[in-house]
Amino acid sequence: MSDWIRALEGTTAGHDLALALALLAAVLHALFGALQKGKHDPWISRAAIDGCYGLIAAPFALFLVPWPEPHMWLIFAGAVVIHAVYKYLQAMTYSRGAYTVVYPVVRGTGPLFAVLGAMVVFDERFTFGQWVGLATLLAGIFGLAVYNLRYVVVARDTLVQALFYAVATGAFVALYTTYDAYGIRATYDPFTFLAWFFMFDGVFMPLVMRRQLAALAWHEVGPLLKRGLLGAFVAFFSFGSILMATRLDKVGEAAVLRETSTVFAALIGWLVLKERVTRVQLGLMALIAAGAVIVEVMG
């Protein structure tokens, strides 16, 4: 499969596959956020998910994929640090604000910075039409956040803090998107980066939350383990999809298309978390989707 992925790089078929992978990542990322925001404390949920995907990835990293080239160890070290800060900020965000308010802010901040980062690191350029599409998408995302901020009644006392952390989290979304795109392009086999990254990345949150995990009652362990395993497989396909998309095609376009996750997050908030969704919110979600379509068509 690695040879097939390398053969698709820079081709029309590769572009089409990158589009599909970015959209798949959008759906799964929204689900991943909802899993972290759901029944359990966001810190505990993230620790369970990370621990599960670290353990699952270990045999693949150690025995199945080629070992990383020497220059990759420093890249992995940078990725672990960046993702650790991102997770801290994300958990602080989710523990302070309603999901339908903070999620659009996180995802709205990310693509703009990611596009700018791709311009600097990978010399990518958006056309005028794509900038219009990006502006349309951001208008929908931030419009959704402002609307939710005005009417939401959940966690109003900590909402300002939550929004601050949401913006900071969005900045780190852009940072890890750009950095990880560089990392997966720096190794010959893309699955080497994915397997070793997940193994390393699965250590931080369980280590931070080790006392809280050890203090869990037995009746809490089973449901949390189920959430952790489900979240692990969602993370594999979500993060793996977007990283493979950035290897196959432009980083900026993949980052923008992934932010249609805001639409899916609102639907999850409505259908699963029972958060109310109005016609105005649905209209703003349509604006987000339209912006993503413009970015793709005008590319």
Side-chain angles (χ1 to χ4, degrees):
M1 182 175 284
S2 298
D3 292 336
W4 177 65
I5 292 293
R6 287 191 293 271
L8 288 176
E9 293 175 17
T11 67
T12 301
H15 172 79
D16 293 340
L17 179 57
L19 168 62
L21 289 171
L23 292 176
L24 175 62
V27 177
L28 294 177
H29 197 282
L31 177 58
F32 186 85
L35 285 171
Q36 189 176 349
K37 177 62 180 175
K39 178 181 177 182
H40 297 93
D41 176 87
W43 296 82
I44 293 289
S45 296
R46 186 73 207 221
I49 292 169
D50 287 13
C52 287
Y53 70 53
L55 290 173
I56 295 170
F60 290 90
L62 296 173
F63 303 112
L64 292 181
V65 302
W67 275 54
E69 301 90 334
H71 68 273
M72 291 300 299
W73 299 116
L74 186 59
I75 293 176
F76 282 129
V80 168
V81 171
I82 291 170
H83 280 266
V85 176
Y86 159 71
K87 289 173 189 176
Y88 169 81
L89 292 172
Q90 186 182 57
M92 294 291 282
T93 300
Y94 286 161
S95 62
R96 283 164 169 75
Y99 182 62
T100 51
V101 175
V102 297
Y103 191 88
V105 176
V106 171
R107 308 320 302 182
T109 309
L112 177 59
F113 291 148
V115 169
L116 296 175
M119 289 176 62
V120 174
V121 178
F122 302 110
D123 197 32
E124 294 181 3
R125 294 292 182 269
F126 263 27
T127 66
F128 175 77
Q130 286 182 303
W131 281 111
V132 171
L134 177 59
T136 302
L137 179 138
L138 293 177
I141 289 176
F142 285 113
L144 190 61
V146 170
Y147 180 86
N148 291 341
L149 176 61
R150 181 176 179 181
Y151 291 104
V152 74
V153 296
V154 179
R156 292 293 302 187
D157 56 329
T158 57
L159 201 50
V160 173
Q161 295 179 35
L163 291 173
F164 170 81
Y165 281 114
V167 172
T169 305
F172 268 82
V173 168
L175 179 58
Y176 82 63
T177 299
T178 306
Y179 187 89
D180 294 342
Y182 170 78
I184 199 169
R185 294 179 180 195
T187 184
Y188 180 74
D189 192 316
F191 293 101
T192 292
F193 181 86
L194 291 174
W196 283 83
F197 167 80
F198 277 116
M199 185 178 71
F200 286 141
D201 193 55
V203 174
F204 174 73
M205 286 299 287
L207 186 63
V208 170
M209 299 300 295
R210 62 190 183 280
R211 293 182 181 176
Q212 290 84 347
L213 290 170
L216 289 172
W218 278 109
H219 71 273
E220 296 178 293
V221 173
L224 185 62
L225 182 60
K226 290 179 181 178
R227 183 181 294 269
L229 288 171
L230 176 59
F233 284 101
V234 171
F236 286 142
F237 287 100
S238 172
F239 190 67
S241 293
I242 192 62
L243 272 184
M244 204 63 75
T246 63
R247 173 144 180 168
L248 288 169
D249 203 43
K250 294 181 178 179
V251 176
E253 288 187 17
V256 170
L257 290 173
R258 180 181 57 183
E259 302 324 319
T260 54
S261 62
T262 308
V263 177
F264 302 112
L267 293 175
I268 290 171
W270 175 35
L271 297 173
V272 180
L273 302 180
K274 305 304 180 183
E275 298 178 357
R276 182 170 172 265
V277 176
T278 67
R279 292 180 180 179
V280 174
Q281 289 170 306
L282 290 172
L284 290 167
M285 286 188 279
L287 195 64
I288 295 168
V293 171
I294 294 171
V295 169
E296 178 61 26
V297 171
M298 300 302 292

